[in-house]
Amino acid sequence: DPTLDTAPAEAAAASAARRPSRPVPRQLPPPPAAFVGRDDELAALDSLLKEATDADRVLVISAIGGVGGIGKTWLALHWAHEHLDRFPDGQLYANLHGFDPITTPLPASTVVRGFLDALGTDPQEIPADLEAQLGLYRSLAADRRMLVVLDNARDADQVRPLLPGSATCMVVVTCRSHLGALTATHGSRCLALGALPDDEARQVLTRALGQDRTTAEPDAVDALLRRCAGLPLALGIVVARAAARPDFPLSLLAEEIDDATHRLDALTAGDLTTDLRAVFETSYRALDDRTAQVFSLLGLAPGPDISLPAAAGLTGLPGPRARVLLRALEEAHLLQQHTPGRYRMHDLVRLYATERGHTLPGDLSDTALRRLVDFHLHTACTADRLLFPHRQPIRLDPPAPDAGPLPMEKAAALAWFDAEHPSLLAAQELALEQGRDRQAWQLAWTLDAFQRHRGHVRDGLTAWRNGLTAADRLGDPAARATAHWLLGRTRADLDENDLALDHLRSALALFEQVDDAAGQAHAHRSIARVRARQGDHRQALDHAQRALRRYGTLDNPVWEANAFNAVGWNHAILGNHELARRHCTQALAMFREIGYHAGEASALDSLGHVARHTGRYAEALDHYQQALGLCRETGNTAQVADALLSLGAIHQALGHATDARESWQQALDLFRSQHRTEKARDTQERLDALGPNAPLTPAGPTTSTTVGPPPATPRCRPGSPSASSRPSA
């Protein structure tokens, strides 16, 4: 008979009810002294409290989750103490020690016995059977307006027995694991905590250490905040260590914590509960072996985050299996899926993961990292071929097992490059560091066209400096020639023209040494660009014509069309407008026949320049607008900036001051984001000369074919503003 199981509990409850009064438990620990911020989370708890006061609803449970040290307990206690008046029948609290570096998780029998004592139960009336004890606890909590705080839970199974059955109670649970099972069975509301924002983290230090001390050393405070990365426990440890030495400068502590290899050693306040490494260790020990290995490998992976396919490549697992293990790390709050399909760790968690990664067997970690580099390289090569099919392909070694490229369509290639760009740069650094020179050089190659397409000039410089180092190590003259050529072209994009010429001359000599006609043409084409930048337009034309002759012997119409455009462009600079128009029109026709929109935009820009400098303003405006539309359509943000600069010039020539200002302001923002300092400076000077309140002058007839010079513009060279980004082979 099931009623026999509850009889002792009912008898004890009836006995307790006959007493004149029952004690009101006040078990909450004191509130945290340095609590700041968390406004959104506090508002979410307030909202749940409102639901909890509705007697028609079921028990409301809030599960506060987050990585160890993120401030779950601080939030729960601060909120609880702010709302004591809403729980007049008492507050129960238990530290369940689910992730305690010293104590094993508390069993339900220990916790419920403490609750019964707090509720005033006579020890003689407490049943011996655990289920009966739990029944008595729920009976005593019935119809009481109480708060139950279950702190540091291990999992849902540890929590469920301790839930009261009354809708008048509210339960707040803190746990490092995501308590999805509790949501499924009891409808708990999950509240995940992230790192504190910078301003709130700064308030923690200022309140604890005092305004005078923090104001006196702003650089040290900035460094401490940067290294604590918004983790409340880390901030608390810093406060404790700084408070222990009030006569020591904060810069000493900042210097100690700045060293990544020993940062976790420094982040301890003297016991295991305030030792950051020990806190992370307890979460790590709760993982199964395979998930723990994935966690450790992720600590070795370069880059700020990692995609699911890249993680599968790193671990050598099928995508679905990798997703399961990554989800397990998410649920343990050791990993965050910050956007769909992309994962990252808190900075300090990652330091711990890296430490764990270095304990893995060398062959395991080396093989995993080789797979990751190969995944990035082969997928980048696939995306590069889809986006820029005119480029001369390179031959890759077969990828490591389980590291094949990610299949993709052309429409997805640019988005993949955008998302993976930081990780690709980090993969190249890793390859170079580990002596995988061939892969390091090949990654520079596969990144090159994308980086120019998006205007990532500084990153391109880094990639090709690494690429040249790798090529020199390989001792391959062809690889060295290509590295010098593309490093020279990148330096030219950064207006480092003398250095650019040094690299381009070295490239030309090496291309001649290996009898590479295409390479020679590329070098001449790039030298022409640099000479034009330096104002030596006849030398620029000579090198452009040499490139055209060599490209004419090769079966690559994109390269040849680029050369026609370059020759036409240099004729335009020299004032040979009819020759310029002829060559650029030929280039435009070739680009359109091929369907190469980036080249088409470049040729239109050149023709716009010719039209503008021969007084055909309406024609120039049409060319520039077409060019801008094509640049935006292809996502070539570098060309977009140049096209906007050109478009602003013709708007100014037509008296459209407002349109000119709008175009130049957009161009300026792009040039600055792309670190193209000379272009940015030139554009700023144009804007300054235009003035903030220049009148909108009505344009005259825009069909004029009158040949004449355009209105003067500040620092206007006798060439198109977009010369520096014209596509090259």
Side-chain angles (χ1 to χ4, degrees):
D1 185 346
T3 59
L4 295 178
D5 296 335
T6 60
E10 292 175 352
S15 175
R18 289 192 295 271
R19 295 177 187 163
S21 64
R22 292 182 292 179
V24 177
R26 306 290 187 189
Q27 289 193 318
L28 292 179
F35 186 89
V36 298
R38 301 292 193 198
D39 292 340
D40 291 343
E41 292 84 355
L42 291 170
L45 289 170
D46 287 346
S47 178
L48 289 175
L49 176 59
K50 185 177 182 302
E51 293 184 27
T53 59
D54 184 350
D56 294 332
R57 296 187 61 87
V58 298
L59 173 72
V60 175
I61 308 162
S62 175
I64 303 174
V67 69
I70 203 66
K72 301 179 293 297
T73 301
W74 282 17
L75 173 65
L77 292 179
H78 176 81
W79 180 86
H81 279 280
E82 289 290 307
H83 296 82
L84 292 179
D85 60 315
R86 304 298 296 272
F87 305 105
D89 294 322
Q91 306 89 39
L92 296 173
Y93 172 88
N95 183 348
L96 303 183
H97 297 289
F99 294 88
D100 195 296
I102 304 172
T103 307
T104 58
L106 286 185
S109 58
T110 302
V111 179
V112 73
R113 181 61 186 260
F115 284 174
L116 291 175
D117 288 341
L119 290 168
T121 308
D122 188 327
Q124 302 297 321
E125 297 176 348
I126 297 178
D129 179 70
L130 174 60
E131 290 300 322
Q133 292 177 10
L134 294 171
L136 175 58
Y137 156 61
R138 285 189 285 270
S139 297
L140 294 175
D143 300 325
R144 299 184 71 170
R145 295 170 60 193
M146 292 176 52
L147 173 67
V148 180
V149 178
L150 302 175
D151 191 19
N152 196 15
R154 179 78 169 194
D155 50 33
D157 287 339
Q158 193 184 21
V159 171
R160 283 194 193 96
L162 302 174
L163 298 177
S166 174
T168 60
C169 295
M170 181 172 177
V171 180
V172 175
V173 183
T174 73
C175 184
R176 296 189 198 177
S177 297
H178 177 70
L179 297 178
L182 199 62
T183 301
T185 59
H186 288 77
S188 68
R189 313 298 177 83
C190 296
L191 183 61
L193 293 192
L196 286 174
D198 289 344
D199 58 336
E200 294 180 7
R202 188 178 299 275
Q203 288 181 52
V204 172
L205 292 188
T206 302
R207 287 188 182 183
L209 300 179
Q211 186 73 47
D212 292 344
R213 191 174 183 188
T214 54
T215 302
E217 295 188 75
D219 291 342
V221 170
D222 288 344
L224 290 170
L225 291 172
R226 189 167 55 250
R227 296 314 180 195
C228 290
L231 192 73
L233 178 57
L235 292 166
I237 292 169
V238 163
V239 165
R241 293 198 55 194
R245 296 287 188 177
D247 53 331
F248 280 25
L250 294 176
S251 58
L252 292 178
L253 181 55
E255 182 180 349
E256 182 181 354
I257 293 177
D258 193 59
D259 182 358
T261 57
H262 300 292
R263 190 171 305 149
L264 294 183
D265 294 324
L267 287 173
T268 178
D271 61 43
L272 290 178
T273 61
T274 54
D275 182 319
L276 205 56
R277 182 184 284 108
V279 169
F280 294 154
E281 180 82 10
T282 55
S283 294
Y284 173 80
R285 295 298 179 192
L287 304 174
D288 64 71
D289 291 345
R290 195 68 182 99
T291 307
Q293 185 182 93
V294 170
F295 173 77
S296 302
L297 288 174
L298 290 173
L300 299 177
D305 63 359
I306 193 167
S307 67
L308 173 60
L314 173 73
T315 59
L317 296 170
R321 178 59 180 158
R323 187 193 300 274
V324 169
L325 296 178
L326 294 177
R327 187 185 304 125
L329 291 173
E330 279 189 271
E331 291 173 352
H333 290 287
L334 293 171
L335 190 67
Q336 177 191 5
Q337 189 174 182
H338 63 100
T339 60
R342 300 199 69 84
Y343 302 83
R344 68 185 177 198
M345 293 178 176
H346 184 278
D347 291 351
L348 294 172
V349 174
R350 179 157 186 173
L351 282 180
Y352 176 74
T354 303
E355 288 186 356
R356 299 304 315 180
H358 288 315
T359 67
L360 294 172
D363 58 341
L364 175 64
S365 57
D366 288 347
T367 300
L369 292 175
R370 182 192 166 197
R371 281 195 304 262
L372 182 63
V373 170
D374 277 359
F375 166 81
H376 282 310
L377 172 60
H378 283 261
T379 306
C381 194
T382 297
D384 178 71
R385 295 296 297 150
L386 289 169
L387 291 170
F388 314 106
H390 67 283
R391 299 187 78 208
Q392 189 171 357
I394 59 173
R395 182 183 302 171
L396 303 180
D397 294 331
D402 302 314
L406 180 68
M408 69 174 67
E409 301 292 333
K410 181 177 180 179
L414 188 58
W416 183 87
F417 260 131
D418 284 333
E420 293 291 351
H421 185 223
S423 296
L424 288 164
L425 291 170
Q428 189 205 31
E429 294 278 0
L430 175 66
L432 193 68
E433 177 187 323
Q434 297 194 332
R436 298 185 173 100
D437 297 320
R438 182 172 174 79
Q439 287 94 328
W441 181 90
Q442 290 169 336
L443 276 165
W445 169 266
T446 56
L447 280 167
D448 181 74
F450 162 75
Q451 288 172 328
R452 287 187 294 112
H453 189 77
R454 285 303 209 195
H456 298 311
V457 189
R458 290 284 180 193
D459 292 327
L461 179 64
T462 300
W464 274 116
R465 290 175 69 177
N466 289 339
L468 181 58
T469 298
D472 286 341
R473 286 180 185 174
L474 289 168
D476 181 344
R480 292 181 62 229
T482 299
H484 275 294
W485 163 44
L486 293 173
L487 181 54
R489 188 173 62 183
T490 304
R491 287 197 179 280
D493 288 339
L494 289 166
D495 304 310
E496 299 174 356
N497 294 314
D498 292 337
L499 288 172
L501 273 181
D502 289 342
H503 285 296
L504 293 172
R505 287 171 179 147
S506 296
L508 182 58
L510 286 165
F511 282 132
E512 290 172 345
Q513 176 185 325
V514 298
D515 196 24
D516 184 341
Q520 293 169 47
H522 299 335
H524 281 297
R525 169 81 173 83
S526 297
I527 291 172
R529 293 174 65 229
V530 176
R531 285 303 192 190
R533 283 173 169 278
Q534 294 177 321
D536 192 345
H537 306 306
R538 296 198 178 280
Q539 280 285 329
L541 178 59
D542 177 62
H543 282 285
Q545 289 172 329
R546 293 188 194 188
L548 179 57
R549 287 194 294 272
R550 285 167 173 78
Y551 284 135
T553 67
L554 305 172
D555 185 21
N556 192 310
V558 170
W559 295 349
E560 188 175 7
N562 261 320
F564 269 110
N565 194 35
V567 171
W569 165 251
N570 284 289
H571 274 306
I573 292 178
L574 291 168
N576 305 325
H577 294 123
E578 187 53 41
L579 282 172
R581 183 181 291 109
R582 191 182 310 162
H583 281 84
C584 295
T585 300
Q586 175 68 23
L588 180 61
M590 295 175 70
F591 283 132
R592 282 177 170 168
E593 183 178 356
I594 301 161
Y596 183 52
H597 295 318
E600 184 182 348
S602 185
L604 283 165
D605 182 87
S606 297
L607 287 168
H609 171 85
V610 173
R612 181 163 68 94
H613 282 74
T614 54
R616 301 170 183 269
Y617 299 148
E619 183 181 326
L621 180 63
D622 180 60
H623 286 321
Y624 287 144
Q625 287 175 333
Q626 287 187 61
L628 179 60
L630 287 166
C631 295
R632 284 176 167 159
E633 179 184 331
T634 60
N636 190 325
T637 48
Q639 277 191 305
V640 167
D642 293 316
L644 285 165
L645 186 57
S646 298
L647 188 60
I650 193 60
H651 277 310
Q652 184 191 39
L654 289 167
H656 301 165
T658 301
D659 291 336
R661 185 185 301 107
E662 182 180 348
S663 294
W664 284 343
Q665 186 60 58
Q666 292 179 45
L668 178 62
D669 294 341
L670 285 170
F671 286 138
R672 285 174 172 168
S673 70
Q674 296 164 10
H675 305 289
R676 297 164 68 183
T677 54
E678 185 174 334
K679 287 282 190 175
R681 183 168 54 252
D682 178 40
T683 308
Q684 184 65 66
E685 290 180 6
R686 290 169 184 255
L687 282 166
D688 292 343
L690 190 63
N693 299 307
L696 176 61
T697 305
T702 58
T703 58
S704 169
T705 58
T706 303
V707 176
T713 55
R715 290 178 55 85
C716 184
R717 301 182 184 83
S720 162
S722 60
S724 68
S725 69
R726 200 167 308 283
S728 58

